[in-house]
């Protein structure tokens, strides 16, 4: 019995250290990416994110777009605010692509909250469109087969 408990404990430690290393590695990778781009203009970051998106490197694109979303504040010019709102749209779309619907909804809802502080509402329809697409997709995935 003691051997079993000891083996179980060792297996749990091994599993925990493996998970910690994986999370640590991705955190380091993305924090280094964020530090590399943080000092650039929003336009430069958006362009880099679009290149990552074109290359199907969605996680890196999300990190870069998120840098832009985090810049939003009331003191920005209207055009800078609009870049931030567009970045929220892009983050939501990318989260949908990788199947992270909750994160996509979080992004779009936060984008809507920020968009209310803008004069120009040109990206509002895109924010709501992503939410609608998620709603339709999610409803379709969770409907019981006998309800169709």
């Amino acid at each position: 019995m003691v051997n079993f408990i000891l083996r179980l404990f060792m297996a749990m430690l091994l599993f925990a250290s493996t998970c910690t290393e994986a999370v640590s590695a991705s955190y380091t990778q993305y924090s280094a990416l964020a530090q590399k781009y943080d000092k650039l203009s929003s336009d430069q970051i958006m362009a880099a994110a679009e290149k990552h998106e074109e290359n199907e490197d969605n996680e890196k694109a999300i990190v870069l777009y998120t840098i832009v979303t985090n810049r939003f504040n009331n003191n920005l010019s209207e055009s800078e605010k609009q870049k931030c709102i567009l970045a929220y749209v892009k983050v939501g779309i990318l989260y949908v692509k990788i199947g992270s619907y909750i994160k996509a909804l979080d992004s779009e809802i936060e984008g809507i909250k920020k968009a209310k502080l803008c004069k120009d509402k040109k990206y509002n329809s895109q924010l709501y469109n992503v939410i609608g697409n998620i709603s339709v997709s999610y409803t379709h995935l969770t409907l019981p087969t006998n309800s169709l």
Side-chain angles (χ1 to χ4, degrees):
M1 180 70 166
V2 172
N3 271 345
F4 173 75
I5 293 173
L6 191 56
R7 285 185 198 161
L8 182 61
F9 180 71
M10 294 300 279
M12 289 171 49
L13 278 177
L14 180 63
F15 178 74
S17 73
T18 303
C19 290
T20 303
E21 288 175 21
V23 169
S24 174
S26 66
Y27 176 78
T28 303
Q29 174 187 1
Y30 295 129
S31 61
L33 180 68
Q35 287 177 344
K36 176 181 174 185
Y37 284 93
D38 192 44
K39 302 294 182 206
L40 299 179
S41 72
S42 295
D43 286 329
Q44 291 170 314
I45 296 171
M46 294 285 281
E50 288 170 8
K51 287 181 184 176
H52 284 292
E53 190 176 353
E54 288 169 6
N55 293 329
E56 300 291 323
D57 196 350
N58 295 328
E59 288 83 10
K60 286 183 181 175
I62 288 170
V63 170
L64 295 177
Y65 285 129
T66 302
I67 292 170
V68 177
T69 64
N70 289 337
R71 291 180 172 182
F72 189 95
N73 68 61
N74 282 330
N75 298 326
L76 291 176
S77 68
E78 186 65 24
S79 66
E80 278 296 310
K81 287 180 183 178
Q82 291 304 311
K83 289 173 195 166
C84 294
I85 302 303
L86 177 58
Y88 276 110
V89 172
K90 298 279 195 168
V91 168
I93 290 169
L94 289 171
Y95 274 132
V96 168
K97 281 185 180 180
I98 63 174
S100 294
Y101 296 110
I102 301 300
K103 289 181 179 180
L105 283 172
D106 288 343
S107 176
E108 300 311 281
I109 290 169
E110 190 62 28
I112 289 169
K113 289 176 186 177
K114 303 290 182 173
K116 288 180 180 181
L117 303 172
C118 298
K119 293 175 187 170
D120 191 346
K121 307 294 184 191
K122 69 181 178 182
Y123 294 116
N124 286 16
S125 61
Q126 291 181 32
L127 291 163
Y128 284 108
N129 189 36
V130 173
I131 291 172
N133 289 338
I134 294 167
S135 176
V136 169
S137 297
Y138 186 73
T139 302
H140 173 70
L141 294 173
T142 59
L143 278 177
T145 54
N146 62 357
S147 70
L148 296 175

